[in-house]
Coordinates of all heavy atoms in Angstrom, one line a residue:
R50 N 138.0 40.3 145.8 CA 136.9 39.8 146.6 C 135.6 39.9 145.8 O 135.5 40.5 144.7 CB 136.7 40.6 147.9 CG 136.4 42.0 147.7 CD 136.4 42.8 149.0 NE 136.3 44.3 148.7 CZ 135.1 44.9 148.6 NH1 134.0 44.3 148.8 NH2 135.1 46.2 148.4
R51 N 134.6 39.2 146.2 CA 133.3 39.2 145.5 C 132.5 40.5 145.9 O 132.1 40.7 147.0 CB 132.4 38.0 145.9 CG 131.1 38.0 145.1 CD 130.3 36.7 145.5 NE 129.0 36.8 145.1 CZ 128.5 36.3 143.9 NH1 129.3 35.7 143.1 NH2 127.2 36.4 143.6
V52 N 132.4 41.4 144.9 CA 131.7 42.7 145.2 C 130.4 42.8 144.4 O 129.6 43.6 144.7 CB 132.6 43.9 144.9 CG1 133.8 44.0 145.8 CG2 133.1 43.9 143.4
I53 N 130.3 41.9 143.3 CA 129.1 42.0 142.5 C 128.9 40.7 141.8 O 129.8 39.9 141.6 CB 129.3 43.2 141.4 CG1 127.9 43.6 140.8 CG2 130.3 42.8 140.4 CD1 127.9 44.9 140.1
S54 N 127.6 40.4 141.5 CA 127.3 39.2 140.8 C 126.8 39.5 139.4 O 126.4 40.6 139.1 CB 126.2 38.4 141.6 OG 125.0 39.1 141.5
D55 N 126.8 38.5 138.5 CA 126.2 38.7 137.2 C 124.7 39.0 137.3 O 124.2 39.7 136.5 CB 126.5 37.5 136.3 CG 126.0 36.2 136.8 OD1 125.9 36.0 138.1 OD2 125.6 35.3 136.0
E56 N 124.1 38.4 138.3 CA 122.6 38.7 138.4 C 122.4 40.1 138.8 O 121.4 40.8 138.4 CB 122.0 37.7 139.5 CG 120.6 37.9 139.8 CD 119.7 37.7 138.6 OE1 120.1 37.1 137.6 OE2 118.5 38.1 138.6
T57 N 123.2 40.7 139.7 CA 123.1 42.1 140.0 C 123.3 43.0 138.8 O 122.6 43.9 138.6 CB 124.2 42.5 141.1 OG1 123.9 41.7 142.3 CG2 124.1 44.0 141.4
I58 N 124.3 42.7 138.0 CA 124.5 43.4 136.7 C 123.3 43.3 135.8 O 122.9 44.3 135.3 CB 125.8 43.0 136.0 CG1 127.0 43.4 136.9 CG2 125.9 43.6 134.6 CD1 128.4 42.9 136.5
R59 N 122.8 42.1 135.7 CA 121.6 42.0 134.9 C 120.4 42.9 135.4 O 119.8 43.6 134.6 CB 121.1 40.5 134.9 CG 119.9 40.3 134.0 CD 119.2 38.9 134.2 NE 118.6 38.8 135.5 CZ 117.4 39.4 135.9 NH1 116.8 40.1 135.0 NH2 116.9 39.2 137.1
K60 N 120.2 42.9 136.7 CA 119.2 43.8 137.3 C 119.5 45.3 137.1 O 118.6 46.0 136.8 CB 119.0 43.5 138.8 CG 118.4 42.1 139.1 CD 118.3 41.9 140.5 CE 117.7 40.5 140.9 NZ 117.8 40.2 142.3
L61 N 120.8 45.6 137.2 CA 121.1 47.0 137.0 C 120.9 47.5 135.5 O 120.7 48.7 135.3 CB 122.6 47.3 137.4 CG 122.9 47.1 138.9 CD1 124.4 47.2 139.1 CD2 122.1 48.1 139.7
R62 N 121.0 46.5 134.6 CA 120.8 46.9 133.2 C 119.4 47.0 132.8 O 119.0 47.6 131.7 CB 121.5 45.8 132.3 CG 123.0 45.8 132.4 CD 123.6 44.7 131.6 NE 123.6 45.2 130.2 CZ 124.0 44.5 129.2 NH1 124.5 43.3 129.4 NH2 123.9 44.9 127.9
A63 N 118.5 46.6 133.6 CA 117.0 46.7 133.4 C 116.5 48.0 133.8 O 116.9 48.6 134.8 CB 116.3 45.6 134.2
P64 N 115.7 48.6 132.9 CA 115.1 49.9 133.3 C 114.3 49.8 134.6 O 113.6 48.8 134.8 CB 114.1 50.2 132.1 CG 114.6 49.4 131.0 CD 115.2 48.2 131.6
G65 N 114.5 50.8 135.4 CA 113.8 50.7 136.7 C 114.4 49.8 137.7 O 113.7 49.4 138.7
G66 N 115.6 49.3 137.4 CA 116.2 48.3 138.3 C 116.6 48.9 139.6 O 116.4 50.1 139.9
P67 N 117.3 48.2 140.5 CA 117.6 48.7 141.8 C 118.7 49.7 141.7 O 119.4 49.9 140.7 CB 118.2 47.4 142.5 CG 118.7 46.6 141.4 CD 117.8 46.8 140.2
Q68 N 118.8 50.5 142.8 CA 119.9 51.5 142.9 C 121.1 50.8 143.6 O 121.0 50.3 144.7 CB 119.4 52.7 143.8 CG 118.3 53.5 143.1 CD 118.8 54.0 141.8 OE1 119.8 54.8 141.7 NE2 118.1 53.7 140.7
P69 N 122.2 50.8 142.9 CA 123.4 50.1 143.4 C 124.1 50.9 144.5 O 123.9 52.2 144.5 CB 124.3 49.9 142.2 CG 123.9 51.1 141.3 CD 122.4 51.3 141.5
S70 N 124.9 50.3 145.3 CA 125.7 51.0 146.3 C 126.8 51.8 145.5 O 127.1 51.5 144.4 CB 126.3 50.0 147.2 OG 127.3 49.2 146.5
F71 N 127.3 52.7 146.2 CA 128.4 53.6 145.7 C 129.6 52.7 145.3 O 130.2 52.8 144.3 CB 128.9 54.5 146.8 CG 130.0 55.4 146.4 CD1 129.8 56.6 145.7 CD2 131.3 55.1 146.8 CE1 130.8 57.4 145.3 CE2 132.3 55.9 146.4 CZ 132.1 57.1 145.6
D72 N 129.9 51.6 146.2 CA 131.0 50.7 145.9 C 130.8 50.0 144.6 O 131.7 49.9 143.8 CB 131.0 49.7 147.0 CG 132.2 48.8 146.9 OD1 133.4 49.3 146.8 OD2 132.1 47.5 147.0
K73 N 129.6 49.5 144.3 CA 129.3 48.8 143.1 C 129.4 49.7 141.8 O 130.0 49.4 140.8 CB 127.9 48.2 143.1 CG 127.8 46.9 143.9 CD 126.4 46.3 143.9 CE 126.4 45.0 144.7 NZ 126.8 45.0 146.0
V74 N 128.9 50.9 141.9 CA 129.0 51.9 140.8 C 130.5 52.2 140.6 O 130.9 52.3 139.4 CB 128.2 53.2 141.1 CG1 128.4 54.2 140.0 CG2 126.8 52.9 141.3
A75 N 131.3 52.4 141.6 CA 132.7 52.7 141.5 C 133.4 51.5 140.8 O 134.2 51.8 139.9 CB 133.3 52.9 142.9
H76 N 133.1 50.3 141.1 CA 133.7 49.1 140.4 C 133.3 49.0 139.0 O 134.1 48.7 138.1 CB 133.4 47.8 141.2 CG 134.1 47.7 142.5 ND1 135.5 47.4 142.5 CD2 133.7 47.8 143.7 CE1 135.9 47.4 143.7 NE2 134.8 47.6 144.5
I77 N 132.0 49.3 138.7 CA 131.5 49.2 137.3 C 132.1 50.4 136.5 O 132.6 50.1 135.4 CB 129.9 49.4 137.3 CG1 129.3 48.1 137.9 CG2 129.4 49.6 135.9 CD1 127.8 48.2 138.2
A78 N 132.2 51.5 137.1 CA 132.9 52.7 136.4 C 134.3 52.3 136.1 O 134.8 52.6 135.0 CB 132.7 53.9 137.2
A79 N 135.0 51.7 137.0 CA 136.4 51.4 136.8 C 136.5 50.3 135.7 O 137.5 50.4 134.9 CB 137.0 50.9 138.1
F80 N 135.6 49.4 135.7 CA 135.7 48.3 134.6 C 135.6 49.0 133.2 O 136.3 48.7 132.3 CB 134.6 47.3 134.8 CG 134.6 46.3 133.7 CD1 135.4 45.2 133.7 CD2 133.7 46.5 132.6 CE1 135.4 44.3 132.6 CE2 133.7 45.6 131.6 CZ 134.6 44.5 131.6
F81 N 134.6 49.9 133.1 CA 134.4 50.5 131.8 C 135.3 51.8 131.6 O 135.2 52.4 130.5 CB 132.9 50.9 131.6 CG 132.1 49.7 131.4 CD1 131.2 49.2 132.3 CD2 132.1 49.0 130.1 CE1 130.4 48.1 132.1 CE2 131.3 47.9 129.9 CZ 130.5 47.5 130.9
Q82 N 136.1 52.1 132.6 CA 137.1 53.2 132.5 C 136.4 54.5 132.2 O 136.7 55.3 131.3 CB 138.1 52.9 131.4 CG 138.9 51.7 131.8 CD 140.0 51.3 130.7 OE1 140.0 51.9 129.6 NE2 140.8 50.4 131.0
V83 N 135.3 54.8 133.0 CA 134.6 56.0 132.9 C 134.5 56.6 134.4 O 134.5 55.9 135.3 CB 133.2 55.9 132.3 CG1 133.3 55.4 130.9 CG2 132.3 54.9 133.2
P84 N 134.3 57.9 134.5 CA 134.1 58.5 135.8 C 132.7 58.1 136.4 O 131.8 57.8 135.6 CB 134.1 60.0 135.5 CG 134.6 60.2 134.1 CD 134.4 58.9 133.4
L85 N 132.6 58.2 137.7 CA 131.4 57.9 138.4 C 130.2 58.7 137.8 O 129.1 58.2 137.7 CB 131.5 58.1 139.9 CG 132.2 57.1 140.7 CD1 132.4 57.6 142.1 CD2 131.4 55.8 140.7
D86 N 130.4 59.9 137.5 CA 129.4 60.8 137.1 C 128.8 60.4 135.7 O 127.8 60.9 135.3 CB 129.8 62.3 137.0 CG 129.6 63.0 138.3 OD1 129.1 62.4 139.3 OD2 129.9 64.2 138.4
A87 N 129.5 59.5 135.0 CA 128.9 59.0 133.8 C 127.6 58.4 134.0 O 126.7 58.3 133.1 CB 129.9 58.0 133.1
F88 N 127.3 57.9 135.2 CA 126.0 57.2 135.5 C 125.0 58.1 136.0 O 123.9 57.7 136.3 CB 126.2 56.0 136.4 CG 127.1 54.9 135.8 CD1 128.4 54.8 136.1 CD2 126.5 54.0 134.9 CE1 129.2 53.8 135.6 CE2 127.3 53.0 134.3 CZ 128.6 52.9 134.7
K89 N 125.3 59.4 136.1 CA 124.4 60.4 136.6 C 123.8 61.2 135.4 O 124.5 62.1 134.9 CB 125.1 61.3 137.6 CG 124.2 62.3 138.3 CD 124.9 63.2 139.3 CE 124.0 64.2 139.9 NZ 124.8 65.0 140.9
E90 N 122.6 60.9 135.0 CA 122.0 61.6 133.8 C 122.0 63.1 134.0 O 121.7 63.6 135.1 CB 120.7 61.1 133.5 CG 120.7 59.7 133.0 CD 119.4 59.1 132.5 OE1 118.4 59.9 132.5 OE2 119.3 57.9 132.2
G91 N 122.2 63.9 133.0 CA 122.2 65.3 133.0 C 123.5 66.0 133.3 O 123.6 67.2 133.2
T92 N 124.5 65.3 133.7 CA 125.8 65.9 134.0 C 126.6 66.1 132.8 O 126.3 65.3 131.8 CB 126.6 65.1 135.1 OG1 126.9 63.9 134.5 CG2 125.8 64.9 136.4
D93 N 127.5 67.0 132.8 CA 128.4 67.1 131.6 C 129.2 65.9 131.3 O 129.4 65.5 130.2 CB 129.4 68.3 131.8 CG 128.7 69.7 131.8 OD1 127.6 69.8 131.3 OD2 129.3 70.6 132.3
T94 N 129.6 65.2 132.4 CA 130.3 63.9 132.3 C 129.5 62.9 131.6 O 129.9 62.2 130.7 CB 130.8 63.4 133.6 OG1 131.6 64.5 134.2 CG2 131.6 62.2 133.5
H95 N 128.2 62.7 132.1 CA 127.3 61.8 131.5 C 127.2 62.1 130.0 O 127.2 61.1 129.2 CB 126.0 61.8 132.2 CG 124.9 61.0 131.5 ND1 124.8 59.7 131.8 CD2 124.0 61.3 130.6 CE1 123.8 59.2 131.1 NE2 123.3 60.1 130.4
N96 N 126.9 63.3 129.7 CA 126.7 63.7 128.3 C 127.9 63.4 127.4 O 127.8 63.0 126.3 CB 126.2 65.1 128.2 CG 124.9 65.3 128.8 OD1 124.1 64.4 129.0 ND2 124.6 66.6 129.2
A97 N 129.1 63.7 127.9 CA 130.3 63.5 127.2 C 130.6 62.0 127.0 O 131.0 61.6 125.9 CB 131.5 64.2 127.9
V98 N 130.4 61.2 128.0 CA 130.6 59.8 127.9 C 129.6 59.2 126.9 O 130.0 58.4 126.0 CB 130.6 59.1 129.2 CG1 130.6 57.6 129.1 CG2 131.8 59.5 130.1
A99 N 128.4 59.6 127.0 CA 127.3 59.1 126.1 C 127.7 59.5 124.6 O 127.5 58.7 123.7 CB 126.0 59.7 126.5
A100 N 128.1 60.7 124.4 CA 128.5 61.2 123.1 C 129.6 60.4 122.5 O 129.6 60.0 121.3 CB 128.8 62.7 123.1
E101 N 130.6 60.1 123.3 CA 131.8 59.3 122.9 C 131.3 57.9 122.6 O 131.7 57.3 121.6 CB 132.9 59.3 123.9 CG 134.1 58.5 123.5 CD 134.8 59.0 122.3 OE1 134.6 60.2 121.8 OE2 135.6 58.3 121.7
A102 N 130.5 57.3 123.4 CA 130.0 55.9 123.2 C 129.2 55.9 121.9 O 129.4 54.9 121.1 CB 129.2 55.5 124.4
N103 N 128.4 56.9 121.7 CA 127.6 56.9 120.5 C 128.4 57.1 119.3 O 128.1 56.5 118.2 CB 126.5 58.0 120.6 CG 125.3 57.5 121.5 OD1 124.8 56.4 121.3 ND2 124.9 58.4 122.3
R104 N 129.5 57.9 119.4 CA 130.4 58.0 118.3 C 131.1 56.7 117.9 O 131.2 56.4 116.7 CB 131.5 59.1 118.6 CG 132.4 59.4 117.4 CD 133.6 60.2 117.9 NE 134.5 59.4 118.7 CZ 135.3 58.4 118.3 NH1 135.3 58.0 117.1 NH2 136.1 57.7 119.2
L105 N 131.5 55.9 118.9 CA 132.1 54.6 118.6 C 131.1 53.7 118.0 O 131.4 53.0 117.0 CB 132.5 54.0 120.0 CG 133.8 54.4 120.5 CD1 134.0 53.8 121.9 CD2 135.0 54.0 119.7
L106 N 129.8 53.7 118.4 CA 128.8 52.9 117.9 C 128.5 53.3 116.4 O 128.3 52.4 115.5 CB 127.5 52.9 118.7 CG 127.6 52.3 120.1 CD1 126.4 52.6 120.9 CD2 127.8 50.8 119.9
E107 N 128.5 54.6 116.1 CA 128.2 55.0 114.8 C 129.3 54.6 113.9 O 129.1 54.2 112.7 CB 128.0 56.6 114.8 CG 127.6 57.1 113.4 CD 126.4 56.5 112.8 OE1 125.4 56.1 113.5 OE2 126.3 56.4 111.5
A108 N 130.6 54.8 114.3 CA 131.7 54.4 113.5 C 131.7 52.9 113.2 O 132.0 52.4 112.1 CB 133.0 54.7 114.2
R109 N 131.3 52.1 114.2 CA 131.1 50.6 114.0 C 130.0 50.3 113.0 O 130.2 49.5 112.1 CB 130.8 50.0 115.4 CG 130.5 48.5 115.3 CD 131.7 47.7 115.1 NE 131.4 46.3 115.0 CZ 132.1 45.3 114.6 NH1 133.4 45.6 114.3 NH2 131.7 44.1 114.6
R110 N 128.9 51.1 113.1 CA 127.8 50.9 112.1 C 128.2 51.2 110.7 O 127.9 50.5 109.8 CB 126.6 51.7 112.5 CG 125.7 51.0 113.6 CD 124.4 51.8 113.7 NE 124.5 53.0 114.6 CZ 124.4 52.9 115.9 NH1 124.3 51.8 116.5 NH2 124.5 54.0 116.6
E111 N 128.9 52.3 110.6 CA 129.4 52.7 109.3 C 130.4 51.7 108.7 O 130.3 51.4 107.5 CB 130.1 54.1 109.3 CG 129.1 55.2 109.5 CD 129.8 56.6 109.8 OE1 131.0 56.7 109.6 OE2 129.1 57.5 110.1
R112 N 131.3 51.2 109.5 CA 132.2 50.2 109.1 C 131.5 48.9 108.7 O 131.8 48.3 107.6 CB 133.3 49.9 110.1 CG 134.3 48.8 109.8 CD 135.2 49.3 108.7 NE 136.1 48.2 108.4 CZ 136.4 47.8 107.1 NH1 135.9 48.4 106.1 NH2 137.2 46.8 106.9
T113 N 130.5 48.5 109.4 CA 129.7 47.3 109.1 C 129.0 47.5 107.8 O 129.0 46.6 107.0 CB 128.7 47.0 110.3 OG1 129.5 46.8 111.5 CG2 127.9 45.8 110.0
E114 N 128.4 48.6 107.6 CA 127.7 48.9 106.4 C 128.7 48.9 105.2 O 128.3 48.3 104.1 CB 127.0 50.2 106.4 CG 125.8 50.2 107.3 CD 125.2 51.6 107.5 OE1 125.6 52.6 106.9 OE2 124.3 51.7 108.4
Q115 N 129.8 49.4 105.3 CA 130.9 49.4 104.3 C 131.3 48.0 103.9 O 131.3 47.6 102.8 CB 132.1 50.2 104.7 CG 133.2 50.3 103.7 CD 134.4 51.0 104.2 OE1 134.7 51.0 105.4 NE2 135.2 51.5 103.3
V116 N 131.5 47.2 104.9 CA 131.9 45.8 104.7 C 130.8 45.0 104.0 O 131.0 44.3 103.1 CB 132.3 45.1 106.0 CG1 132.5 43.6 105.9 CG2 133.6 45.7 106.5
T117 N 129.5 45.3 104.5 CA 128.4 44.6 103.9 C 128.2 45.0 102.4 O 128.0 44.1 101.6 CB 127.1 45.0 104.6 OG1 127.2 44.6 106.0 CG2 125.9 44.4 104.0
R118 N 128.5 46.3 102.1 CA 128.4 46.7 100.7 C 129.5 46.0 99.8 O 129.3 45.5 98.7 CB 128.6 48.2 100.5 CG 127.3 49.0 100.8 CD 127.4 50.4 100.4 NE 128.5 51.1 101.1 CZ 128.4 51.7 102.3 NH1 127.3 51.6 103.0 NH2 129.4 52.3 102.8
Q119 N 130.7 45.9 100.4 CA 131.8 45.3 99.7 C 131.6 43.8 99.5 O 131.8 43.3 98.4 CB 133.1 45.4 100.5 CG 133.7 46.8 100.5 CD 135.0 46.9 101.4 OE1 135.1 46.2 102.4 NE2 135.9 47.8 101.0
V120 N 131.0 43.1 100.5 CA 130.7 41.7 100.3 C 129.6 41.5 99.3 O 129.7 40.6 98.4 CB 130.3 41.1 101.7 CG1 129.6 39.7 101.5 CG2 131.5 41.0 102.6
A121 N 128.6 42.4 99.3 CA 127.6 42.3 98.3 C 128.1 42.5 96.9 O 127.8 41.8 95.9 CB 126.5 43.3 98.5
E122 N 129.0 43.5 96.7 CA 129.6 43.7 95.4 C 130.5 42.5 94.9 O 130.4 42.1 93.8 CB 130.5 45.0 95.4 CG 129.7 46.3 95.5 CD 130.5 47.5 95.8 OE1 131.8 47.4 95.8 OE2 130.0 48.6 96.1
E123 N 131.3 42.0 95.9 CA 132.1 40.8 95.5 C 131.2 39.6 95.2 O 131.5 38.9 94.3 CB 133.1 40.5 96.7 CG 134.2 41.6 96.8 CD 135.0 41.4 98.1 OE1 134.8 40.4 98.8 OE2 135.8 42.3 98.4
S124 N 130.2 39.5 96.0 CA 129.3 38.3 95.8 C 128.6 38.4 94.4 O 128.5 37.4 93.7 CB 128.2 38.3 96.8 OG 128.8 38.0 98.1
E125 N 128.3 39.6 94.0 CA 127.7 39.8 92.7 C 128.7 39.4 91.6 O 128.3 38.8 90.6 CB 127.2 41.3 92.5 CG 126.5 41.5 91.2 CD 125.3 40.6 91.0 OE1 124.5 40.3 92.0 OE2 125.0 40.2 89.8
G126 N 129.9 39.8 91.8 CA 131.0 39.5 90.8 C 131.2 37.9 90.7 O 131.3 37.4 89.6
V127 N 131.2 37.3 91.9 CA 131.3 35.8 91.9 C 130.1 35.2 91.2 O 130.3 34.2 90.5 CB 131.5 35.3 93.3 CG1 131.4 33.8 93.4 CG2 132.9 35.8 93.9
L128 N 128.9 35.7 91.5 CA 127.7 35.1 90.9 C 127.8 35.3 89.4 O 127.4 34.4 88.6 CB 126.5 35.8 91.5 CG 126.1 35.4 92.9 CD1 124.9 36.2 93.4 CD2 125.8 33.9 93.0

Side-chain angles (χ1 to χ4, degrees):
R50 60 186 172 89
R51 183 179 165 95
V52 295
I53 198 164
S54 69
D55 57 326
E56 180 62 15
T57 298
I58 292 173
R59 184 192 66 76
K60 289 177 182 177
L61 293 175
R62 294 181 73 181
Q68 292 301 300
S70 67
F71 180 83
D72 186 51
K73 284 182 177 54
V74 177
H76 286 289
I77 292 168
F80 176 82
F81 286 107
Q82 299 177 353
V83 297
L85 281 170
D86 272 0
F88 294 102
K89 183 178 179 181
E90 290 186 8
T92 64
D93 289 341
T94 303
H95 173 86
N96 295 336
V98 170
E101 180 63 17
N103 283 315
R104 187 194 63 74
L105 281 171
L106 291 171
E107 184 58 30
R109 173 75 179 169
R110 276 190 278 278
E111 288 174 8
R112 178 69 181 133
T113 299
E114 288 173 7
Q115 179 185 27
V116 168
T117 301
R118 281 191 303 275
Q119 286 175 329
V120 168
E122 290 169 8
E123 290 171 8
S124 295
E125 185 57 38
V127 170
L128 288 173

